[in-house]
Amino acid sequence: MIIEIGGGEGGFKEYLESGRKQGRELHRNRLDQRIPLFGDLDVFETATSFYKTKGKRYDHVTMSFSEHHVSDAMLQIAVDEFRDHVFAAWPESQRHRIAFYAEAHRPRILSYVNSESGEEVERLIHIHIGIGKRDLLTGKFVELLGHLGPESDNLKFIDAFQESFNIRHGFASPKDNPKITPSNAIDTLARYRGAKPDALGSFNARKAELEIRLQKEIINRDIVTWDGFGKLLAEFGVVSKVNAGKFNECYRIKPVGADRAMRLAGTFFGQQFISIPTQEKINIISNKAKTAYLEQMLPKKEPTYVTETLNKWNIFTARESRFLHKSSRFYREVYLPADALTRRQILDNMERENHGFTSTHATQLGKVATARSRLPAMPVRDLDGIQTRSEMLLFGHARRDVRNRSASRDAGISVRQPDQSRIDALKKLVEITQPSSVLNDVQRTLREGYEQAENQQKYAEIRRHLNCDLLLNELSHSHGVTQERYIVSMGKDGSPRIQCGSRSLSPNDFLTKELGLPWKEAAPILCHAYENQLNYQIIHPRGKNQSSQLWKDFKQSRILAQAELSQRRNKFSIDMKAQRADLFARLANEKRDALLGLTGANRKAAAAIQAYRSALEKSEFSAASKVQHQSIIANYDPDLQTGWKRFLQGRAQAGSNDALTVLRNCDDTWRDRRRHSAGISAESQWTQDRQGSAQHSSIPILKTLAFTVALNGDVTYSHQGRALLRDEGRHIAVLDEFNEEGIVAGLMLAKEKFGTSLTLTGSDEFQRRVVALSVERGIDSF
């Protein structure tokens, strides 16, 4: 787990609810399951917006995990322990004076393609925490994390908490866990052949080249000391240190011939990682190159330096930040010159004056409270009574405090079972797409539990017989699932299971617990996958990243298309405005002429007729305008992925093999593949080289065929307007079983793609016909 700290003047609530950021066009409801862990987001937004002052109104803390699964109970522990850490100088009875909100995001979309770079981005579990910077009782500005300016060394206390948490709970530490993707890890092990930017802390192409050379030399020369690394850097330019003597000390180098220096602040160049033995470095990078499911490990013993740093925070720094002003005369002339024991007594007295007691952190000789091994079960409470709470946070009332969570959401929340009237009442609540408070999350969990229980019998057959491989393949397209990370197995009762590390989940639980989907979204996915399984329909897993050059071309074409679309829409708007004005003027003139000289009943009848004609013409004009507008935007798809596939389709139709390959890799369309469908397939794994050669075949009969490329990458071959073959990548379907020329063309195309070892599917009669034609035409393919 790694902690990152930022802040802002606003937008915290909007970001948590919408999830929009540069390079990503998906909404939060599609991206993540939101799990409120403390507080109410609306209350936090109100509290931090109350004081209209310039500067940051809240700290935004992000806790990100490298593991692919972290239990809800563990996420709750992380927030509770962090809250205790930052509120070390505040008793529980006064903590509600500072706005505090926390929610976890469990990815529903496990990976996506960055719309700016075209690179695939893996998404993992993370927690967002907002901490207000005002005491809501006094209006006083507060910094619970301490001053974090450039001259401050207070980040070491956050770093110590981070390391303590990771060690005690068995999570990966960023100190020995460089941010390396599997592809970049392979590059690392290959001694960084080629100088391409990667995810190891690069800033731009020129700096990336130097970083790659340095990383290579660190391994090749067996560099394991901080001074040894400094001597290596001196060979490449002028070396200096940043934050010398502080916990985040790092090297800075100005390469020979460069106009400015670069800071080597990435994990790979940090003191802790440099000091790791070379073989251990290689092992860490090797593990990064594997597609594995990472889980929480066994805890370790906390290092002495971490304990000492946390003791200093609890005994001194946290209380100094709250009770002392560093610009005051008392601080400069009395507190600073004092020894440690006197300082502690001063802080104890200040704390006693404010709260009437001395904190446990200060009195227990620096003993750091250990984390709870588990969370207490939620006691039986009247949920209806919570609606009347007046406190800013869910705190301070035995019937209202719902922050205590059960040890595991998987086992359900430990509350008494309400009667049927309460079930009905819950069902009638306004639907909460994503909860923004602990209370709403409890209601959502109860409601979904009832819904799933009602459908248990209906989905029993699916749970017993669903092909989980097909489900994972489909989810690789819709939710970015890396199917190689999971193992499909069978439970003791014979039902299918998906192995997620140490957890063996049913298809239902995989969707709801691993991907965090609500049951109302998970149920249709299960039904759809099982229906296609019964109809012998398959889908291939999603391929790897698309060609960078193709993506760049696509982005450029999209920019041009957007500009053209905007121009056409502007022109359309101007034209429609003018036509509408002409229409209204003509109708007004016709009405005036029609009513000229009429009185009484005749005028009344004529007015009614004109009103009817006017309404009819206006309606026809509006309908025609909508049709014309639709024709303008018809060729532009606002959805990025659909637009990408249409772009590849066009390139493939124009003869690009690269585009066809990428299109097939991102295929998410089910193909009808019934058990006895007529077709020809490769007996063994077909190769990319053979796939490419088919497009350049010189066989005369194939030259007479015209082809069209479908959106899913299928290529249909036709002769004189009649479809004969469909190349589906790994299978060539014969669409007309009685057309001998089509069968011969299919055999020759299959031979070009797959070689001579082919497998036939379809009826016995069709297979005999194919063999006979193969012998008659001298095509040796079996």
Side-chain angles (χ1 to χ4, degrees):
M1 182 268 289
I2 183 173
I3 297 176
E4 296 178 303
I5 299 176
E9 299 180 21
F12 184 71
K13 180 176 185 290
E14 180 183 0
Y15 174 71
L16 294 186
E17 292 181 338
S18 71
R20 297 293 173 84
K21 64 186 293 187
Q22 186 173 2
R24 188 175 72 195
E25 301 180 1
L26 298 175
H27 190 275
R28 178 72 67 199
N29 289 342
R30 180 104 165 90
L31 281 168
D32 299 303
Q33 176 195 14
R34 295 172 57 206
I35 306 172
L37 299 171
F38 194 97
D40 185 297
L41 184 55
D42 290 327
V43 174
F44 179 86
E45 183 78 1
T46 301
T48 54
S49 302
F50 183 76
Y51 293 94
K52 305 297 183 181
T53 57
K54 292 184 178 180
K56 292 197 300 184
R57 298 180 182 176
Y58 58 85
D59 290 316
H60 182 176
V61 179
T62 305
M63 308 172 74
S64 304
F65 295 83
S66 297
E67 291 71 20
H68 293 102
H69 175 72
V70 182
S71 69
D72 288 0
M74 196 68 246
L75 295 173
Q76 184 70 61
I77 289 174
V79 169
D80 289 346
E81 288 193 7
F82 184 75
R83 182 172 177 267
D84 287 340
H85 173 77
V86 299
F87 278 101
W90 293 73
E92 185 66 47
S93 61
Q94 293 192 7
R95 292 181 181 181
H96 66 281
R97 289 161 50 177
I98 309 298
F100 189 96
Y101 178 76
E103 71 175 41
H105 290 173
R106 191 180 298 281
R108 292 175 175 173
I109 302 296
L110 301 185
S111 64
Y112 70 95
V113 175
N114 184 287
S115 62
E116 300 295 326
S117 64
E119 295 180 353
E120 185 171 304
V121 179
E122 182 180 9
R123 307 186 65 252
L124 295 171
I125 299 168
H126 54 284
I127 299 173
H128 291 282
I129 300 176
I131 307 173
K133 300 185 78 69
R134 291 280 179 177
D135 183 336
L136 298 177
L137 180 64
T138 65
K140 179 183 175 182
F141 181 80
V142 295
E143 290 185 303
L144 291 188
L145 302 177
H147 178 61
L148 300 178
E151 301 301 321
S152 170
D153 198 27
N154 282 339
L155 278 175
K156 69 183 180 185
F157 300 114
I158 300 297
D159 182 78
F161 172 82
Q162 169 187 289
E163 292 308 295
S164 173
F165 181 87
N166 288 332
I167 291 167
R168 289 183 291 104
H169 295 292
F171 289 104
S173 166
K175 301 293 185 180
D176 56 5
N177 189 37
K179 189 177 180 181
I180 307 176
T181 64
S183 59
N184 288 324
I186 293 172
D187 290 341
T188 304
L189 295 173
R191 298 292 190 247
Y192 305 100
R193 294 171 182 169
K196 66 183 185 63
D198 55 26
L200 297 174
S202 306
F203 302 102
N204 56 42
R206 287 187 304 159
K207 293 178 181 177
E209 182 178 1
L210 176 59
E211 288 183 339
I212 291 170
R213 293 175 63 190
L214 291 174
Q215 291 155 4
K216 174 182 176 181
E217 293 302 319
I218 289 171
I219 293 177
N220 286 347
R221 299 192 192 185
D222 195 21
I223 303 292
V224 293
T225 65
W226 193 234
D227 290 338
F229 179 46
K231 293 176 182 178
L232 169 65
L233 292 176
E235 299 177 13
F236 295 87
V238 179
V239 181
S240 59
K241 287 185 178 179
V242 179
N243 299 321
K246 298 181 180 180
F247 90 98
N248 57 340
E249 175 183 309
C250 65
Y251 280 109
R252 177 170 52 199
I253 179 173
K254 185 176 182 181
V256 177
D259 57 351
R260 60 190 180 97
M262 62 179 291
R263 181 183 298 189
L264 299 173
T267 299
F268 202 103
F269 303 117
Q271 289 193 57
Q272 186 162 332
F273 193 79
I274 290 292
S275 64
I276 293 175
T278 297
Q279 186 55 51
E280 190 174 339
K281 288 189 183 82
I282 294 175
N283 292 340
I284 291 173
I285 298 170
S286 298
N287 290 332
K288 285 285 188 174
K290 301 175 182 177
T291 303
Y293 193 92
L294 304 180
E295 290 186 287
Q296 188 175 354
M297 301 173 292
L298 293 175
K300 301 177 183 177
K301 183 179 180 181
E302 186 175 282
T304 302
Y305 81 91
V306 170
T307 304
E308 291 175 349
T309 305
L310 290 176
N311 284 343
K312 183 179 179 181
W313 166 261
N314 291 317
I315 297 172
F316 293 104
T317 310
R319 296 194 293 171
E320 290 171 358
S321 178
R322 181 177 183 188
F323 299 124
L324 294 173
H325 295 281
K326 293 189 176 182
S327 60
S328 68
R329 183 176 179 181
F330 177 82
Y331 179 80
R332 296 193 311 269
E333 298 181 2
V334 178
Y335 184 80
L336 276 183
D339 57 28
L341 181 59
T342 304
R343 289 185 182 183
R344 185 165 171 175
Q345 290 174 346
I346 291 173
L347 292 172
D348 287 349
N349 291 333
M350 288 183 167
E351 189 172 54
R352 192 176 296 108
E353 291 173 1
N354 278 270
H355 309 310
F357 72 99
T358 303
S359 73
T360 56
H361 289 303
T363 58
Q364 294 179 4
L365 299 178
K367 180 180 179 182
V368 180
T370 58
R372 294 172 291 172
S373 59
R374 64 180 181 85
L375 295 178
M378 180 177 171
V380 174
R381 297 193 178 102
D382 181 2
L383 294 179
D384 296 338
I386 303 175
Q387 303 293 341
T388 61
R389 69 176 177 83
S390 58
E391 289 83 359
M392 187 195 76
L393 300 176
L394 300 178
F395 170 79
H397 194 292
R399 290 168 57 82
R400 295 171 181 165
D401 187 355
V402 297
R403 284 182 286 106
N404 291 339
R405 314 302 295 276
S406 62
S408 173
R409 288 169 181 262
D410 299 347
I413 297 180
S414 177
V415 295
R416 65 181 175 81
Q417 291 296 320
D419 56 27
Q420 187 59 43
S421 63
R422 293 216 173 145
I423 295 176
D424 295 338
L426 276 170
K427 289 183 178 180
K428 292 178 181 179
L429 288 173
V430 177
E431 182 66 24
I432 303 171
T433 304
Q434 292 272 45
S436 293
S437 72
V438 176
L439 172 60
N440 288 345
D441 196 35
V442 172
Q443 293 175 333
R444 175 194 60 80
T445 303
L446 290 173
R447 184 170 55 251
E448 290 187 1
Y450 299 141
E451 292 173 352
Q452 192 165 358
E454 288 178 349
N455 290 313
Q456 184 173 3
Q457 187 62 35
K458 177 181 177 181
Y459 290 90
E461 180 182 352
I462 296 178
R463 286 197 300 271
R464 287 195 302 268
H465 303 296
L466 180 64
N467 186 325
C468 291
D469 284 311
L470 294 181
L471 176 64
L472 289 175
N473 288 351
E474 181 176 7
L475 293 172
S476 72
H477 297 282
S478 61
H479 291 78
V481 170
T482 302
Q483 65 276 26
E484 296 97 333
R485 189 165 286 135
Y486 305 96
I487 300 174
V488 174
S489 60
M490 184 176 294
K492 294 181 180 179
D493 58 353
S495 60
R497 290 287 188 271
I498 300 176
Q499 199 72 26
C500 305
S502 60
R503 297 176 305 145
S504 181
L505 303 180
S506 67
N508 303 35
D509 288 343
F510 182 83
L511 293 174
T512 57
K513 296 178 181 179
E514 179 71 6
L515 298 187
L517 298 177
W519 176 246
K520 66 178 182 180
E521 292 183 25
I525 293 176
L526 291 173
C527 290
H528 183 258
Y530 191 57
E531 178 183 349
N532 285 283
Q533 176 183 327
L534 296 178
N535 292 330
Y536 304 104
Q537 295 177 320
I538 66 170
I539 184 172
H540 296 300
R542 182 187 58 168
K544 300 299 181 183
N545 293 354
Q546 50 266 44
S547 162
S548 58
Q549 186 56 52
L550 280 171
W551 183 264
K552 290 177 182 178
D553 293 346
F554 164 64
K555 290 293 292 183
Q556 184 61 33
S557 69
R558 195 169 176 84
I559 291 173
L560 295 175
Q562 286 175 329
E564 181 183 358
L565 177 64
S566 178
Q567 185 178 9
R568 294 182 63 187
R569 293 180 72 169
N570 288 338
K571 184 178 183 303
F572 171 78
S573 178
I574 294 172
D575 291 344
M576 288 300 101
K577 186 176 181 180
Q579 293 179 28
R580 186 179 296 105
D582 291 342
L583 173 63
F584 282 30
R586 178 173 60 81
L587 292 175
N589 291 335
E590 291 178 356
K591 179 180 179 180
R592 184 187 65 245
D593 294 342
L595 298 181
L596 187 63
L598 297 180
T599 59
N602 291 335
R603 184 180 180 86
K604 182 179 179 180
I609 294 173
Q610 286 301 315
Y612 165 75
R613 290 177 177 174
S614 179
L616 180 61
E617 290 202 42
K618 288 180 180 179
S619 176
E620 291 174 342
F621 176 81
S622 178
S625 298
K626 290 180 181 179
V627 171
Q628 189 174 348
H629 182 261
Q630 284 300 119
S631 68
I632 292 175
I633 65 175
N635 294 326
Y636 182 81
D637 197 319
D639 180 72
L640 186 69
Q641 289 303 309
T642 304
W644 167 239
K645 291 171 65 178
R646 292 192 185 281
F647 170 81
L648 293 173
Q649 179 188 20
R651 285 291 182 92
Q653 185 65 49
S656 170
N657 288 325
D658 290 342
L660 180 60
T661 300
V662 176
L663 179 60
R664 281 176 169 164
N665 282 341
C666 66
D667 167 33
D668 58 359
T669 304
W670 289 90
R671 294 190 181 92
D672 190 359
R673 184 71 51 73
R674 297 186 182 277
R675 185 175 298 169
H676 299 296
S677 62
I680 309 167
S681 304
E683 187 172 274
S684 59
Q685 180 73 21
W686 61 300
T687 65
Q688 186 69 30
D689 293 338
R690 290 191 177 277
Q691 181 197 23
S693 67
Q695 292 292 340
H696 301 287
S697 173
S698 60
I699 300 174
I701 191 171
L702 295 180
K703 290 183 177 180
T704 65
L705 301 179
F707 68 89
T708 57
V709 181
L711 191 58
N712 66 350
D714 287 351
V715 181
T716 301
Y717 294 91
S718 304
H719 180 66
Q720 296 180 351
R722 184 184 183 89
L724 299 181
L725 305 169
R726 183 173 62 245
D727 183 345
E728 299 175 351
R730 298 173 187 258
H731 178 85
I732 296 176
V734 178
L735 304 180
D736 188 344
E737 299 181 29
F738 301 97
N739 187 302
E740 293 186 356
E741 294 303 317
I743 293 175
V744 172
L747 280 172
M748 300 174 79
L749 180 59
K751 183 179 178 181
E752 286 293 310
K753 289 192 65 173
F754 309 132
T756 57
S757 296
L758 303 176
T759 300
L760 293 176
T761 58
S763 65
D764 293 340
E765 181 182 354
F766 169 74
Q767 294 189 36
R768 285 195 297 269
R769 187 180 304 115
V770 174
V771 173
L773 284 171
S774 176
V775 174
E776 178 183 333
R777 303 293 179 94
I779 305 173
D780 185 12
S781 301
F782 305 98

